Structures are given as structure tokens and as C-alpha cells.
Amino acid sequence: MTPAAALAATLESALDLYLRQDPEALRSCGGMAGKIIALDVTGLGVSLYFLPGPDGIQVLGHFEGPADTRLRGSPIGLARMALGSRDDTLFEGAVEIQGDTEAGQQLQDILVSAEWDWEEQLSRLTGDIAAHEIGRGARRLREDLARCRGSAR
């Protein structure tokens, strides 16, 4: 198995778990059936292909055909975009987009807006109290990072 195929399989499994937590996000994937979104990770030489459909998002390490949308960027730039910093990331040149920008936007919207209760998933491993405390710490860290980012501008 190639590194791209292994990464694709892992990512597809994670997306499947994520999307199954939110039936609305899964329905939105069905509305994108037939679209191909390519993701080129610069510096790693890896390309992944996302094929949304009614059962979720299939992720492939190789695809023989044209992509409707192609995103190209560094791992950090792509992660920032995936977490919702799309405008800054695109305008700073960290991520390039070619083709059907609406399809890329739809996929990002699905992934960002999906309701996933990660604390509930974590509580299965750590128990309710520990999961709640970890969640509280993560929310505090996110707020602090947002404040720092805002003051740095």
C-alpha cells in the first residue's frame, strides 16, 4: 500500500466517524455526489481525491480523471483552511484553488459545520469527568489562541 493510499484510508475512516455523528452533514454529502475534489499537499508530494456521496466521502490516493476542484497548499495552510480560516488562507496564498470553487466551498462548509460531540467520544475512553475537563481546557486554549491571533494583527 502506498503512503497516499494509507493516508486516504485513514482519512476516510476518520471522516466516516465524523460525518455519522451529524445526519445533516451526511445528507449534504449526498447533494455533492459526482463531484471530485483534489487536494495536493505541497512539500509531501501527496494528492488525495475526495468523492462525496450519500454514504459519506470516499477518499482515494489515486484517481484517473479530471477533478472539479483542485486545492493545493502546505499541510499547515490546508489545516487552517479546513478549520474555517478560508478567507485569510486563500488571500495569503497559503492555499491555491482551481476549478469549481463552489464545490470546494461546499465541502469545507460540510466539514466545518458538522456537529461532532468529540467530548462524548472521548468520555468513552476517559470517563465523563476527565473528558469534560479536557474539553474545557481545549476551549480555553482555543479562546486564548484566538485572542493572541487578534492582538498580533
Side-chain angles (χ1 to χ4, degrees):
M1 181 179 280
T2 67
L7 179 60
T10 301
L11 191 53
E12 184 174 326
S13 294
L15 284 172
D16 185 56
L17 175 64
Y18 183 65
L19 291 170
R20 300 252 175 249
Q21 299 294 314
D22 187 345
E24 184 58 37
L26 201 52
R27 278 191 289 283
S28 296
C29 287
M32 291 188 67
K35 296 288 185 182
I36 310 297
I37 293 100
L39 184 73
D40 299 328
V41 186
T42 59
L44 298 182
V46 172
S47 293
L48 298 171
Y49 299 86
F50 296 81
L51 291 71
D55 296 325
I57 300 173
Q58 183 180 11
V59 184
L60 303 174
H62 180 75
F63 184 76
E64 290 288 335
D68 296 290
T69 306
R70 183 170 295 277
L71 299 165
R72 182 175 290 117
S74 68
I76 292 172
L78 292 167
R80 283 182 52 209
M81 190 179 89
L83 294 171
S85 314
R86 179 184 61 253
D87 293 337
D88 288 349
T89 308
L90 289 173
F91 290 125
E92 291 172 359
V95 174
E96 299 171 22
I97 186 166
Q98 299 171 336
D100 182 357
T101 58
E102 187 175 322
Q105 171 69 49
Q106 281 181 293
L107 182 62
Q108 183 193 20
D109 288 346
I110 290 168
L111 296 176
V112 169
S113 66
E115 297 288 329
W116 189 60
D117 188 354
W118 65 270
E119 276 186 51
E120 174 63 30
Q121 301 300 317
L122 183 60
S123 73
R124 294 177 183 177
L125 299 172
T126 64
D128 290 337
I129 294 171
H132 176 71
E133 290 302 315
I134 292 168
R136 197 167 82 181
R139 285 186 291 280
R140 195 173 321 125
L141 178 61
R142 183 179 59 202
E143 291 166 4
D144 290 346
L145 290 173
R147 249 190 318 276
C148 289
R149 184 175 178 200
S151 66
R153 288 182 184 202

